[in-house]
Amino acid sequence: MTDTRTRRRGTELEHAILDAAWAELSEVGYPSLTIEAVAKRAGTSKPVIYRRWPSRAALVIAAWARRQPIHEAAPDQGSLRADLLWLFTRIATRMDAMMSQTIAGVMAEAFKHPEVQDLLRDRLDSAPLARTLGTIVENAVARGELRPAALPRRVLRLPLDLLRSEAILCGTPLSEETLAALVDDVYIPLLKGLAADHGH
Amino acid sequence: MTDTRTRRRGTELEHAILDAAWAELSEVGYPSLTIEAVAKRAGTSKPVIYRRWPSRAALVIAAWARRQPIHEAAPDQGSLRADLLWLFTRIATRMDAMMSQTIAGVMAEAFKHPEVQDLLRDRLDSAPLARTLGTIVENAVARGELRPAALPRRVLRLPLDLLRSEAILCGTPLSEETLAALVDDVYIPLLKGLAADHGH
DNA sequence: GACGTAAGAAACGCAACGTATCTTAGGAGC
DNA sequence: GCTCCTAAGATACGTTGCGTTTCTTACGTC
């Protein structure tokens, strides 16, 4: 299969490996993902992978980063609730069963490999989300639905934390009722509380 | 070592195994915990463990449940903030590095063994916490710090989710500043927001 | 005192780990 | 266009832990 073929190098090879890792992830899931299988699927061998990534977790994070879609602007749906629901739904859509199980697995391995913890933090800290939330809140303020308020870092990170906890504990997919409850029972009250503190 | 010894049975043996599992957990951590080591430490053998628990995760959850301390009543510290800080600190104290890494590991395995997911959910859903929070909020209402408000289920679970996410992403131990930020930036605004919605 | 259940010990095959060794393809430089 | 050197790709290795099987024997029961 390889004798007459060309031998890939650099970025081309790297991308092939990451794509193979992603495919394996989708098919067998994180707990059953093996480096050997990724190597085989990518048409290469284990040492090639180990030369680039020190652990399965690091490899998977790299594959994940490659797939992370570009941030899209938040549409103005006419109300704070609708905007938030749109955002929560969009996050939930990308956090399917495979993704939850992968994140859980990577989180578990982060304790063994400190460098993985850093990668994971970068991956989850999500500046794009912060910007989207900022826009949504600004729009709500412009509409008169909300007083202006500063959004602390942990508030910006909260949607991801909420959805991730929910997904891991309750299993995915998350129902619309669940998303609505998170928006109505937690996030909107929080924003109102922050605004009251700040603006009044 | 065993020839002249007594051969344990039933509860006695079970407790010995769970204690050994807990000790291993404390010493080597979840990722490095092996059934073999637990068996050795408990002075028994692998099949004896496998006869009782189907997986490492189930064993660890059982050991954890045995250690879960009794719920203590919330003291009235004189202010909502102080009460919440007390509660968050108390949770954080019990969620040391070992515990975070264990929870993360068990969460990761929950996907492979659905029955583990149920055990985990039971373990984390924490009715005691709900009662403590109820008391704290009641006291704040009595003091006039807060309007009365209903606390939805997800709000009751939020402290655990917040602290767990923080512990897993940032590593333990959690600093006092972190705990204060979670209380001041997230939880108190949320309570105020809920109260405003409800009472006004 | 005999019986049956389950404890305990040992060994198994399996799978994946992470590494070391070796050959060879292919890009860089003169 | 030839040489050199880096890194790809293949293979095999020892190790570890899994979960299971088999067997002996202690102990509680009747």
Side-chain angles (χ1 to χ4, degrees):
Chain A
M1 190 203 271
T2 47
D3 276 328
T4 59
R5 288 267 159 280
T6 170
R7 182 178 284 188
R8 298 156 300 176
R9 305 228 160 192
T11 331
E12 186 191 354
L13 176 57
E14 193 155 322
H15 287 174
I17 294 172
L18 293 179
D19 289 344
W22 187 259
E24 281 291 310
L25 214 46
S26 308
E27 277 183 26
V28 306
Y30 185 81
S32 304
L33 180 138
T34 70
I35 302 282
E36 248 147 352
V38 173
K40 192 173 183 183
R41 186 190 277 259
T44 182
S45 61
K46 279 196 296 176
V48 177
I49 295 183
Y50 278 110
R51 266 172 219 141
R52 289 158 204 270
W53 299 277
S55 66
R56 186 172 63 144
L59 169 64
V60 164
I61 290 178
W64 174 17
R66 187 166 147 70
R67 290 299 169 130
Q68 187 83 338
I70 308 152
H71 164 250
E72 29 175 330
D76 186 332
Q77 311 258 127
S79 78
L80 173 61
R81 181 174 190 277
D83 283 351
L84 286 175
L85 216 43
W86 171 85
L87 177 64
F88 276 53
T89 305
R90 178 166 149 280
I91 297 173
T93 303
R94 298 196 180 154
M95 186 148 53
D96 56 3
M98 186 269 278
M99 228 30 242
S100 308
Q101 128 183 10
T102 301
I103 296 177
V106 172
M107 287 199 306
E109 278 186 48
F111 289 93
K112 267 200 160 174
H113 309 270
E115 91 279 359
V116 168
Q117 188 157 1
D118 298 338
L119 293 173
L120 183 61
R121 207 187 356 254
D122 291 349
R123 206 90 276 290
L124 290 179
D125 211 347
S126 70
L129 175 62
R131 249 181 309 133
T132 306
L133 268 172
T135 310
I136 289 178
V137 168
E138 272 173 34
N139 290 345
V141 169
R143 270 186 227 110
E145 282 187 275
L146 208 62
R147 295 164 192 271
L151 301 183
R153 209 172 72 248
R154 290 171 220 279
V155 171
L156 293 172
R157 221 177 50 203
L158 191 60
L160 280 185
D161 287 348
L162 282 174
L163 288 166
R164 180 163 18 89
S165 298
E166 198 76 32
I168 292 178
L169 283 189
C170 301
T172 42
L174 301 177
S175 69
E176 286 194 34
E177 292 78 38
T178 301
L179 296 177
L182 290 174
V183 168
D184 292 329
D185 294 345
V186 182
Y187 211 73
I188 290 183
L190 172 57
L191 288 179
K192 299 220 160 162
L194 282 168
D197 260 5
H198 191 259
H200 191 50
Chain B
M1 188 202 273
T2 47
D3 275 327
T4 58
R5 288 266 159 279
T6 169
R7 184 178 282 188
R8 297 155 301 175
R9 304 229 160 190
T11 331
E12 185 192 354
L13 176 58
E14 193 154 323
H15 286 176
I17 294 171
L18 293 179
D19 289 344
W22 187 259
E24 280 293 309
L25 214 46
S26 308
E27 276 183 26
V28 306
Y30 185 81
S32 303
L33 179 140
T34 71
I35 302 282
E36 249 148 352
V38 173
K40 192 173 182 183
R41 186 190 276 260
T44 181
S45 62
K46 280 197 293 176
V48 175
I49 295 181
Y50 278 110
R51 266 172 218 140
R52 289 156 205 271
W53 297 278
S55 67
R56 189 172 60 141
L59 169 64
V60 163
I61 290 178
W64 174 16
R66 187 166 148 72
R67 291 298 170 130
Q68 187 82 338
I70 307 152
H71 163 252
E72 30 174 329
D76 187 333
Q77 310 259 125
S79 80
L80 173 61
R81 181 174 191 276
D83 283 351
L84 286 176
L85 216 42
W86 171 86
L87 176 65
F88 276 53
T89 306
R90 179 167 149 280
I91 297 174
T93 303
R94 297 196 179 155
M95 186 148 54
D96 56 4
M98 186 269 279
M99 228 30 243
S100 309
Q101 124 183 12
T102 301
I103 296 177
V106 171
M107 287 198 307
E109 279 186 47
F111 288 93
K112 269 200 158 172
H113 309 272
E115 92 279 358
V116 168
Q117 186 156 3
D118 298 337
L119 292 174
L120 183 61
R121 205 187 357 253
D122 291 348
R123 208 90 273 292
L124 289 180
D125 211 348
S126 69
L129 174 63
R131 248 182 310 135
T132 306
L133 269 171
T135 308
I136 288 177
V137 168
E138 272 172 34
N139 288 346
V141 170
R143 269 187 228 109
E145 281 188 276
L146 209 62
R147 295 165 193 271
L151 301 183
R153 208 173 71 250
R154 289 170 223 280
V155 171
L156 292 172
R157 222 177 49 206
L158 191 59
L160 279 185
D161 288 348
L162 283 175
L163 287 167
R164 181 164 17 90
S165 297
E166 197 76 31
I168 291 177
L169 283 188
C170 301
T172 41
L174 301 177
S175 69
E176 286 194 35
E177 292 78 39
T178 302
L179 297 177
L182 290 173
V183 167
D184 291 330
D185 294 346
V186 183
Y187 211 72
I188 289 182
L190 171 56
L191 288 179
K192 298 220 161 159
L194 282 168
D197 259 8
H198 191 260
H200 193 47

